Amino acid sequence: MLAGHAQLWHVYLFAFGLGVVSAVDVPARQTFVAALVPPEGLSNAVGLNSASFNAARLIGPAVAGLTVAWIGIGWVFIVNGLTFAATVVALLVMRRAELSDVERAPREKGQVRQGIRYVRGRTDIIMVMVVVSVVAALGLNFQMTSALMARVEFGRGPEDYGLMGSVLAIGSLGGALLAARRERPRLRLVLGAAGLFGLSSAVMASMPNYGLYMLASVAVGFSQLTMLTSANAYVQTTTEPFMRGRVMALYSMLLMGSTPIGAPIVGWVGENVGARWSIGVGSIAAIAVAVACTMWAVQHWNLEVTYHRHRPVLEFTYPNRVNSRDDAVLRLRAQQIEDTSSQP
């Protein structure tokens, strides 16, 4: 890009390479958090790690948009590459003797099948993955939708596009910190945040001018990061250590892999229906999946909702719900024993 010879197929090629590397890097990096802290601090550490990861996904494009207008797109890629030096140095100076021991699964055939079998027995994790994948596919396309809104609806340039992302990141930071401070992430927080994301996205898409649009985006960033951080922390902290890597690989695949599937749909809607509806389709999808999963929980988990008058709060309880986590672990252990006994 600095030489001015970059073509579209070059971008496709490097994007493909980045996706291949991320498929290995993201699950390993997220599960590595368990080795950095003692077991009692895992929930907060996972929340903070997820908060920093997802906040960077929002803050990065905002900073990049401002930097492109300042020094040009080629130098932005150079600066981004140089920032990885800090990560490499941090890994090199770590004292391995102080890392916590984490149970590891033995290397054997069928590990992918075991991971899928484990997730199939955890309806709560399946629900989290469904919510995250649907919202990520149709709702988390802000690089595209913000650019459409800035250029088409408000007639703004790269600087204002970057400012959009910065304001969105303000709410994201608040949501990340709120989710990270919780000692025990809960499934209801994931569903509630998904529903709030849908509602706030609808409000943001309907804003008549640039200033009100940015103001509404604070709530969108808050609900988005609350959902993503809580979902990541819930999956990691409720999964058995020997299965965590495989489960997180599936989770990351759905989170990151669903966006390229939904982006063309959102792009088509933005081009043919309107920029505002490119956000609206994600809003509708988020509300629909949150409502559908809640109704499923009410029907299959016998969810009970109690309103306490003395303090205005709703309490959610599952009086007849089977512990799907323990059930999944027992069935997986039994399958491992059966596979081992059948070997010659």
Side-chain angles (χ1 to χ4, degrees), residues 86-105:
T87 303
V88 174
V89 172
L91 291 173
L92 291 176
V93 300
M94 283 184 180
R95 294 184 288 271
R96 297 184 180 181
E98 298 181 10
L99 298 178
S100 301
D101 293 330
V102 179
E103 182 182 356
R104 297 182 180 181

